[in-house]
Amino acid sequence: MFFILLVFVMFANFMVNALIDPIDLIKSHSYPAERHFAVTDDGYIITIHRISRGKHLNKTGPPVLLGHGTGSSSADFLNAGPERGLGYILADSGFDVWIGNSRGNSYSTNHIKYNSEREAKAFYNFSFHDIGYYDYPAQIDYVLNVTGKSKLYFIGHSQGGTAYYVMGSTRTDYNNKIRLAVLLGAPAIMKNTPQKLFRIFADVIFDVEDLANLMGLYHIPFLESQRMFAYKFCSLPKNHKLCQDFMYLFLGFEDNEQNNMGKTFKFFLSTPSDFSLKTLLHFGQIIKSETFRQYDYRPEGNLRQYGAIEPPIYNLSLIISPLALFCGKNDASLNLKDVEIMEKLLPNVVYKYIVPWNKFNHGDFVLATDVVNLLYNDLIRILKMY
Ligand SMILES: *[C@@H]1O[C@H](CO)[C@@H](O)[C@H](O)[C@H]1NC(C)=O
Ligand SMILES: *[C@@H]1O[C@H](CO)[C@@H](O)[C@H](O)[C@H]1NC(C)=O
Ligand SMILES: *[C@@H]1O[C@H](CO)[C@@H](O)[C@H](O)[C@H]1NC(C)=O
Ligand SMILES: *[C@@H]1O[C@H](CO)[C@@H](O)[C@H](O)[C@H]1NC(C)=O
């Protein structure tokens, strides 16, 4: 009996430690890997994974910083391997690739003052606003300092791009440090978000906040054991359809051709990754108010926080860095009608690309089987023009 228990504990331990290390992943494909830490002005320690050059390249090229989506991590750009993983493809195309991990995800759980578990209330008190306002400037300054360059490229997927809109409109001097920002399926205005589930959630957003506070729930935790279970479950061909259908709830309608679960189940080794509840609430507020604006602390809180009853809007007209927008026609988070509204407000959209695949959904930007032909080739081409 004791022996069985011992084996179980050892196995459970193994599962707890199973979080893949992006450094190992990069090295396993024979690319140079480095880990860096950038400290934000409000004390979060951001882990950045770097591939400084391509497999067969000698020279380190111009830096590009990548930002991942909600519930994701740097592993998003690495899991698919050198053929389809954007991190490797950029490196092989001559870029110096820096892949950030937003505060609170599995790789960025440290803070100079707060313990993420014992002081969860303070630690997880952030949304994509803080990622844009603090994390990106810290990472940009860090990368420019190490590389000795004055500008870099930025690529953001989903919330990674939402946070870029925050930075560009609230830390306006950072626009001057960007050669080109490529935003992949990145929502800002969410007036026409097609996903019914999101709308239902948005309608009760303040009740959700009250309930979460009552329960002391400050973040959406994902345990290693849960990811390992999803990884094993979805690796079995008989479960592929179930796993795909589950993902479509969040990403867009089915795209079975591009979402080959036989390939994408590997993502469950690192995704989903932890994020704050406040992030989810902020997105819900954006959908409910149909306005891209700062976190709504309700009238009294807003008066304290902003000196006004309503939260300030993010002024998109202040984002003067050049932007390239990449959009899918079947993206549950970003509707093309909203892209048109945003384009009218953004002063420097230099390129817009609607991926030529009707079922292209929110996850396809990193998951699609044909992502290189459908998207990355064009992305690299436009980067090299700036
Ligand atoms: C890299 O450097 C080595 C030695 O300096 C040289 O022999 C090789 O041709 C270089 N490769 C490329 C792709 O420049
Ligand atoms: C969370 O952040 C807001 C805005 O900065 C602040 O007003 C509030 O006091 C913070 N709450 C906690 C628990 O730290
Ligand atoms: C820039 O790098 C130097 C050393 O190379 C270091 O002393 C300095 O603190 C760095 N500054 C920032 C903002 O990281
Ligand atoms: C947004 O910024 C522009 C340019 O500075 C300014 O003209 C406009 O009044 C601002 N809009 C709002 C709502 O603050």
Side-chain angles (χ1 to χ4, degrees):
M1 186 61 206
F2 178 71
F3 179 73
I4 293 172
L5 194 69
L6 189 71
V7 169
F8 177 78
V9 168
M10 280 169 62
F11 183 60
N13 244 336
F14 161 74
M15 297 208 302
V16 168
N17 293 323
L19 180 66
I20 54 161
D21 183 351
I23 295 292
D24 293 341
L25 202 56
I26 297 167
K27 283 186 177 159
S28 75
H29 295 296
S30 312
Y31 286 75
E34 293 173 22
R35 193 190 330 268
H36 293 261
F37 301 100
V39 182
T40 68
D41 284 346
D42 60 347
Y44 289 80
I45 299 166
I46 302 299
T47 302
I48 315 175
H49 296 115
R50 180 191 193 189
I51 312 178
S52 60
R53 54 187 165 74
K55 204 174 196 166
H56 305 291
L57 299 177
N58 286 348
K59 220 170 93 259
T60 295
V64 54
L65 176 67
L66 273 63
H68 60 78
T70 312
S72 289
S73 68
S74 57
D76 261 18
F77 302 109
L78 302 166
N79 272 328
E83 268 102 67
R84 291 188 303 127
L86 186 57
Y88 310 100
I89 291 174
L90 285 165
D92 283 332
S93 304
F95 294 93
D96 175 11
V97 185
W98 297 76
I99 317 181
N101 287 282
S102 297
R103 56 180 62 196
N105 88 0
S106 327
Y107 304 112
S108 288
T109 51
N110 292 320
H111 187 280
I112 54 172
K113 201 162 105 202
Y114 301 129
N115 179 291
S116 65
E117 278 164 30
R118 286 196 306 275
E119 288 142 304
K121 187 172 181 180
F123 181 87
Y124 289 104
N125 185 16
F126 64 81
S127 78
F128 54 79
H129 172 85
D130 307 84
I131 294 169
Y133 195 86
Y134 296 108
D135 291 9
Y136 287 170
Q139 294 175 77
I140 290 170
D141 287 339
Y142 183 90
V143 171
L144 295 181
N145 193 19
V146 171
T147 57
K149 298 283 200 297
S150 61
K151 290 187 179 207
L152 48 68
Y153 297 98
F154 178 86
I155 300 175
H157 173 220
S158 182
Q159 173 192 270
T162 310
Y164 186 86
Y165 287 127
V166 171
M167 182 185 77
S169 58
T170 59
R171 306 287 302 264
T172 48
D173 44 330
Y174 280 85
N175 284 302
N176 303 320
K177 302 186 180 190
I178 305 295
R179 281 171 83 156
L180 174 71
V182 173
L183 307 182
L184 309 171
I189 288 166
M190 299 179 81
K191 238 183 193 149
N192 299 290
T193 294
Q195 178 53 274
K196 283 222 177 61
L197 200 69
F198 296 173
R199 295 210 160 270
I200 292 167
F201 171 72
D203 278 341
V204 294
I205 199 69
F206 291 109
D207 301 320
V208 175
E209 186 178 42
D210 289 341
L211 186 67
N213 279 335
L214 210 62
M215 290 165 54
L217 180 71
Y218 304 110
H219 86 298
I220 314 289
F222 293 100
L223 302 176
E224 266 321 291
S225 49
Q226 292 167 337
R227 275 194 292 260
M228 195 48 88
F229 174 79
Y231 171 78
K232 289 192 173 142
F233 183 83
C234 295
S235 70
L236 302 174
K238 70 175 160 73
N239 296 331
H240 282 178
K241 184 158 185 330
L242 194 63
C243 293
Q244 277 169 328
D245 287 346
F246 180 72
M247 282 168 59
Y248 297 150
L249 283 178
F250 306 97
L251 302 176
F253 299 112
E254 62 153 55
D255 184 7
N256 291 340
E257 290 94 331
Q258 296 301 332
N259 294 155
N260 179 345
M261 191 48 67
K263 287 184 176 161
T264 54
F265 73 89
K266 286 187 199 139
F267 276 79
F268 288 113
L269 277 176
S270 52
T271 314
S273 195
D274 293 32
F275 58 100
S276 71
L277 183 76
K278 195 172 176 182
T279 300
L280 216 55
L281 296 174
H282 197 175
F283 272 121
Q285 293 174 3
I286 300 280
I287 295 173
K288 188 181 165 85
S289 70
E290 303 193 344
T291 314
F292 186 48
R293 60 184 192 180
Q294 294 199 34
Y295 195 83
D296 190 345
Y297 294 99
R298 302 183 218 191
E300 234 173 81
N302 291 339
L303 265 178
R304 257 194 319 253
Q305 183 74 17
Y306 311 115
I309 302 269
E310 301 266 326
I313 62 157
Y314 294 109
N315 190 342
L316 296 181
S317 72
L318 300 176
I319 308 176
I320 54 169
S321 63
L323 300 181
L325 310 181
F326 287 72
C327 325
K329 290 184 200 161
N330 173 29
D331 187 329
S333 299
L334 179 64
N335 189 281
L336 293 180
K337 280 189 221 147
D338 288 329
V339 177
E340 277 169 27
I341 299 173
M342 283 150 59
E343 266 185 291
K344 292 205 181 88
L345 300 168
L346 294 163
N348 200 7
V349 176
V350 295
Y351 189 64
K352 179 170 128 181
Y353 181 82
I354 297 172
V355 179
W357 178 264
N358 285 339
K359 298 184 196 166
F360 204 85
N361 69 32
H362 194 63
D364 279 335
F365 293 95
V366 290
L367 296 175
T369 307
D370 301 322
V371 71
V372 177
N373 284 330
L374 287 174
L375 177 64
Y376 293 164
N377 285 340
D378 201 57
L379 191 161
I380 304 279
R381 184 184 65 81
I382 190 83
L383 281 182
K384 290 194 167 171
M385 288 167 59
Y386 282 83

